[in-house]
Amino acid sequence: PDRGEVLLDGVDAASLPAQRRNRIRCRDVGFVFQFYHLLPELNVLDNVLLPARTRVGVLQWPRLAPQARKQAMELLDRLGLSDRLKHRPRELSGGEQQRVAIARALINRPRLLLADEPTGNLDSRTGTQILKLIKQLNDDTGQTIVMVTHDQALADMADRVLHLRDGKLQ
């Protein structure tokens, strides 16, 4: 940040060594991007597993892979994508791609989920379904979710809404 502090559990994140900040981003924070950012050369399952693979060392992955695959398949099943595991992103609808992105963001069971316009590229029906899913995940796990949206109807579904105007919190 150019000003202020980003506190995580009372610790200023900017003061931490780069390796520690990277570990926090990988383990404690999940990201759902507006434009999905799925890797086109990977299938659905491999896109979801990517953060789990990067969380551990190369030598640890073979031992941890079976449990991670099981967890990924459970997430994808919960998101209604168990029949799409081997499909590439280009073979999926926008709503399916967003659900893959949500599963990818959740695979490491982060304490904080950051969602940037998670429904911005979706039709209103699919967008509402995605938001209900995110809300259900919050209710089930107690996970903190910070979502950015310009859609007032979506904001109305949140437990708490903060407004930014011209870069300032209102």
Side-chain angles (χ1 to χ4, degrees), residues 88-104:
R88 305 246 187 252
R90 70 180 176 276
E91 300 170 314
L92 304 174
S93 70
E96 288 170 329
Q97 288 182 57
Q98 190 63 295
R99 286 181 281 159
V100 173
I102 290 169
R104 181 187 57 199

Side-chain angles (χ1 to χ4, degrees), residues 8-147:
L8 299 170
D9 290 332
V11 176
D12 183 7
S15 70
L16 297 173
Q19 186 176 10
R20 177 87 191 280
R21 287 193 312 267
N22 289 341
R23 191 171 31 247
I24 288 170
R25 274 192 296 272
C26 185
R27 293 181 181 177
D28 296 328
V29 182
F31 297 91
V32 178
F33 300 100
Q34 180 176 0
F35 296 105
Y36 325 126
H37 293 293
L38 301 175
L39 296 179
E41 60 275 4
L42 299 181
N43 64 35
V44 166
L45 182 59
D46 289 336
N47 263 288
V48 172
L49 284 170
L50 192 58
R53 289 184 74 121
T54 60
R55 181 178 180 175
V56 299
V58 173
L59 298 176
Q60 294 173 311
W61 179 245
R63 181 176 52 84
L64 299 174
Q67 179 59 34
R69 288 178 66 82
K70 180 179 182 227
Q71 182 183 342
M73 290 191 298
E74 287 171 0
L75 272 171
L76 289 165
D77 184 54
R78 185 170 184 189
L79 293 167
L81 293 168
S82 57
D83 61 335
R84 309 291 270 166
L85 299 178
K86 297 297 179 190
H87 288 77
R88 305 246 187 252
R90 70 180 176 276
E91 300 170 314
L92 304 174
S93 70
E96 288 170 329
Q97 288 182 57
Q98 190 63 295
R99 286 181 281 159
V100 173
I102 290 169
R104 181 187 57 199
L106 296 172
I107 190 70
N108 286 336
R109 296 185 176 141
R111 295 183 299 157
L112 172 62
L113 181 67
L114 301 174
D116 177 16
E117 292 283 3
T119 61
N121 293 314
L122 306 175
D123 61 79
S124 61
R125 189 176 127 253
T126 304
T128 300
Q129 289 173 337
I130 295 293
L131 190 63
K132 285 180 181 177
L133 173 67
I134 290 172
K135 178 94 170 105
Q136 180 185 2
L137 291 166
N138 171 256
D139 292 342
D140 292 351
T141 66
Q143 180 179 58
T144 298
I145 299 171
V146 176
M147 179 178 63

